[in-house]
Amino acid sequence: MVVNMKEMLMKAKNEHYAVAHFNINNLEWTRFILEACEENRSPVILGVSEGAIKYMGGYSVVSSIVYSLVKELEIKVPVALHLDHGSSVLSCKKAIDAGFTSVMIDGSKYSLEENVLMTKEVVSYAHPKNVTVEAEIGAIGGEEDGVANEVLYATVEDAVALSKTEIDFLAPALGSVHGLYKREPNLNFERMKQICEITNLPLVLHGGTGIPDEQIKMAIHCGICKLNINTELQIAWTNAVRTFLGANSEVYDPRKVIKSGEDAMKEAIKKKLELLGSIGKA
Ligand code: 13P
């Protein structure tokens, strides 16, 4: 069932767990993630970056893959198809027109005024089409798809200003980074809690890879309802494929190569779902 993120994140907020956002890169990853979440009766968000969309062949290709797999595999758990870090209003509109059920408009690199303006424009296009909107304030550190940033902690005032655009979810940058952490993450839980209480929105935590389990639990306690995970699955899959190829140098069938990372990926997914508390919540 492909749905927007509204109901799944409101339920998570009310019942104090978080839903995993896993980034997808191709058809096989999409299938592995869907199967793992169906098996664990967990709702799931399939996040797609603009880089991954380009890699896979375009917005409508991604959409066709997701809708077709959900149908053919008879996936019953709620699945959201979400644009990750939409960099422009146009990108969000393209995703919505292609059937994405949720979009993130990331105006965090612009001034607050510009961020608010572009976010409002996306909300007014998305909501009549039943598409949910996530927006970002502050700056998530690290690098994703070649885009690098320094960490910039969101302020409560800016978070409140952005929340007034009628967005459905807010991603306040509070110390997390995309990719691997160079040192122990330094998340501002106090501010996370404050932003959650004042805005009353389900909050999103980006840069889920490498945050210690205890800190993830604390973040959920402070209002995080969606955790974005990308690098961790990339590492799990690539390590397994590397080992497989090292031990099976005669293999050249790409299906065997890609599939050799399936079990490791599904294991990593299950561990994350357990940690987030979303197993059995579908
Ligand atoms: P990681 O790559 O650190 O898991 O972050 C993923 C993310 O936040 C995608 O938006």
Side-chain angles (χ1 to χ4, degrees):
M1 190 178 26
V2 184
V3 295
N4 69 29
M5 302 197 313
K6 189 85 182 175
E7 211 175 298
M8 65 167 86
L9 293 195
M10 286 319 289
K11 184 169 164 11
K13 187 173 190 292
N14 292 334
E15 297 179 22
H16 309 291
Y17 62 92
V19 179
H21 153 138
F22 294 117
N23 282 79
I24 56 171
N25 293 293
N26 56 27
L27 180 142
E28 289 86 347
W29 274 48
T30 311
R31 179 168 72 73
F32 301 159
I33 295 167
L34 287 174
E35 285 175 351
C37 291
E38 180 72 14
E39 199 180 310
N40 288 290
R41 310 293 315 141
S42 170
V44 67
I45 296 155
L46 301 175
V48 205
S49 67
E50 289 172 352
I53 288 170
K54 198 167 166 207
Y55 173 82
M56 283 195 260
Y59 296 81
S60 64
V61 177
V62 174
S63 186
S64 304
I65 288 173
V66 170
Y67 280 88
S68 303
L69 281 175
V70 166
K71 182 168 175 247
E72 293 292 336
L73 300 173
E74 298 183 15
I75 301 295
K76 300 286 185 292
V77 299
V79 176
L81 171 56
H82 177 71
L83 174 67
D84 192 19
H85 294 284
S87 62
S88 64
V89 175
L90 182 64
S91 176
C92 292
K93 286 185 176 175
K94 279 187 186 168
I96 294 167
D97 291 346
F100 282 52
T101 57
S102 190
V103 292
M104 174 189 190
I105 173 71
D106 182 357
S108 62
K109 66 171 187 278
Y110 300 105
S111 68
L112 175 65
E113 292 70 27
E114 284 171 293
N115 191 354
V116 165
L117 273 181
M118 65 201 284
T119 301
K120 269 189 185 161
E121 199 178 335
V122 171
V123 168
S124 67
Y125 193 79
H127 280 179
K129 297 180 168 66
N130 201 24
V131 170
T132 45
V133 180
E134 172 187 332
E136 178 178 323
I137 191 79
I140 291 150
E143 185 174 328
E144 189 172 57
D145 272 348
V147 182
N149 272 318
E150 287 299 318
V151 176
L152 182 67
Y153 285 76
T155 64
V156 177
E157 295 71 30
D158 287 1
V160 170
L162 192 59
S163 76
K164 298 216 168 111
T165 55
E166 290 184 37
I167 46 169
D168 303 281
F169 324 106
L170 180 66
L174 291 169
S176 61
V177 308
H178 288 129
L180 297 175
Y181 286 80
K182 295 200 174 87
R183 56 193 82 84
E184 174 97 350
N186 182 18
L187 301 181
N188 189 333
F189 293 112
E190 190 55 42
R191 200 174 295 173
M192 202 180 273
K193 204 157 178 235
Q194 251 179 315
I195 292 174
C196 172
E197 279 166 8
I198 301 178
T199 65
N200 202 25
L201 288 173
L203 301 184
V204 178
L205 181 58
H206 284 249
T209 301
I211 302 178
D213 289 1
E214 285 319 305
Q215 290 201 29
I216 289 179
K217 284 188 188 157
M218 185 63 182
I220 295 172
H221 177 72
C222 295
I224 294 298
C225 301
K226 169 178 181 267
L227 181 75
N228 288 18
I229 304 134
N230 185 17
T231 308
E232 194 168 328
L233 292 193
Q234 294 185 341
I235 292 173
W237 182 84
T238 305
N239 281 348
V241 171
R242 202 175 272 126
T243 305
F244 173 79
L245 288 176
N248 299 276
S249 55
E250 77 293 352
V251 171
Y252 49 80
D253 181 340
R255 291 167 299 184
K256 288 187 181 156
V257 176
I258 296 174
K259 202 175 159 30
S260 68
E262 176 173 347
D263 290 350
M265 228 177 105
K266 286 182 168 172
E267 245 171 69
I269 291 168
K270 185 169 184 197
K271 263 176 71 183
K272 265 290 165 308
L273 300 180
E274 273 167 357
L275 176 68
L276 300 188
S278 71
I279 291 185
K281 296 291 189 182

